[in-house]
Amino acid sequence: MSTPLPASPIVAVMGHIDHGKSTLLDYIRKSNVVDGEAGGITQHLSAYEITIPHQGTERHITFVDTPGHAAFTGMRERGARVADIAILVVSAEDGVKAQTIEALHTIREAQIPYIVAINKIDRPEANIERTKQMLAEHEVLVEGYGGTIPWVAISAKVGTGVPELLDTIILVADLEGMSTDPKAPTSGIVIESALDPKRGIAATIVIKSGTLTRGQFVVAGKAITTTRIMENFLGKTLSEAGPGTPVKLIGFDEAPDVGTTIKDKNKKRDAEDYVEELG
């Protein structure tokens, strides 16, 4: 029997399109990806992984980018279900907006814990207390304001409060008792798929449990691929990917649907039989 390990939480960043969600994701990536590699990433990535020091150990966090526009509500809902924890980004200037409430509904439906990040505190019109009051009007009661929901004041633009936000993510994961088992059966969720003009159909998958290793076959709905070409978010080849890891698999025979759960199989025949059983 394998011993579960502390989780490497998967985090969806959500909120109004203009409240700094993308700025926060960019700041975290550029500040925490080693050796300046972040600057070398040219493609749009829907997920990336960082390592942070926490109480004398190294912990991993994976961030999933969920589109903020109202037209992408379905994608955003899947993003929240992929995630273990959500961050609700709210501007200290503008407070709660329609998309903030929409994101909040999605988080509540997904039944995952969340942290409020009150952003743009560097702006002259910022008003943290008014923002907390607006949140309270929508039954979001943060710590110190009559409730228990963790919150952090940040400036995604200059990085104020971001280290505290990362620490809070780990604290929430640990308080919720989140754990992972690299030896459990492998499962993961497709968060994007696209045709790579040079290499074929590719999909980005976040591993939720177990470990995906080179030489296996992966089934996502009716789509099948091998793990022969398995890359991390920097485009580097992986021989295995454990819980919480975002991984790009290349060579699917058809494009898997976003939100599909993957299964791993040891043989191609097993993968084909599984798809046949699905009808």
Side-chain angles (χ1 to χ4, degrees):
M1 190 81 177
S2 57
T3 307
L5 304 169
S8 298
I10 301 163
V11 178
V13 180
M14 306 175 77
H16 190 278
I17 195 164
D18 296 325
H19 284 189
K21 179 176 77 76
S22 296
T23 309
L24 175 60
L25 282 161
D26 287 346
Y27 183 88
I28 292 169
R29 178 172 58 84
K30 286 171 183 167
S31 304
N32 292 277
V33 176
V34 295
D35 300 330
E37 287 174 320
I41 303 172
T42 52
Q43 69 196 93
H44 170 75
L45 294 158
S46 57
Y48 64 81
E49 185 178 27
I50 66 163
T51 303
I52 63 164
H54 182 81
Q55 296 180 353
T57 62
E58 282 195 342
R59 297 290 293 271
H60 300 276
I61 305 171
T62 289
F63 288 90
V64 178
D65 188 2
T66 54
H69 192 273
F72 293 98
T73 301
M75 170 78 84
R76 192 160 62 248
E77 284 171 356
R78 281 192 286 266
R81 288 190 192 105
V82 166
D84 302 310
I85 298 169
I87 294 174
L88 181 66
V89 179
V90 188
S91 164
E93 278 189 311
D94 300 334
V96 174
K97 294 288 187 184
Q99 284 180 356
T100 316
I101 296 162
E102 206 178 286
L104 188 60
H105 286 163
T106 301
I107 293 165
R108 285 172 171 164
E109 281 170 22
Q111 298 181 328
I112 56 174
Y114 66 101
I115 300 159
V116 173
I118 299 180
N119 189 27
K120 302 192 180 184
I121 59 167
D122 54 308
R123 303 286 277 269
E125 298 297 313
N127 188 328
I128 293 172
E129 290 306 308
R130 187 189 64 206
T131 305
K132 288 185 198 172
Q133 177 59 45
M134 290 178 80
L135 286 163
E137 287 164 12
H138 293 279
E139 297 176 2
V140 179
L141 299 170
V142 297
E143 289 172 348
Y145 209 86
T148 58
I149 297 162
W151 71 280
V152 184
I154 67 165
S155 166
K157 189 176 178 183
V158 298
T160 309
V162 174
E164 288 80 2
L165 178 61
L166 299 177
D167 271 337
T168 304
I169 291 167
I170 296 296
L171 288 169
V172 168
D174 291 348
L175 282 169
E176 293 281 333
M178 292 179 190
S179 62
T180 55
D181 186 353
K183 294 183 180 176
T186 305
S187 71
I189 297 174
V190 176
I191 58 170
E192 69 177 351
S193 67
L195 176 63
D196 183 318
K198 293 177 182 171
R199 301 193 290 176
I201 298 167
T204 304
I205 292 156
V206 175
I207 307 300
K208 292 288 283 182
S209 69
T211 301
L212 202 58
T213 57
R214 184 93 62 83
Q216 291 178 298
F217 288 82
V218 165
V219 182
K222 294 189 175 182
I224 299 174
T225 189
T226 71
T227 54
R228 189 172 56 84
I229 306 175
M230 187 163 60
E231 297 174 348
N232 70 5
F233 69 97
L234 294 165
K236 291 188 172 178
T237 302
L238 296 175
S239 58
E240 62 177 37
T245 305
V247 58
K248 186 175 188 178
L249 293 179
I250 297 159
F252 278 94
D253 56 358
E254 62 178 80
D257 293 331
V258 170
T260 306
T261 302
I262 67 153
K263 300 276 183 189
D264 65 319
K265 302 290 178 183
N266 289 323
K267 296 177 183 174
K268 189 177 184 183
R269 184 72 249 171
D270 295 341
E272 289 168 345
D273 287 347
Y274 179 79
V275 169
E276 221 168 89
E277 284 169 23
L278 293 175

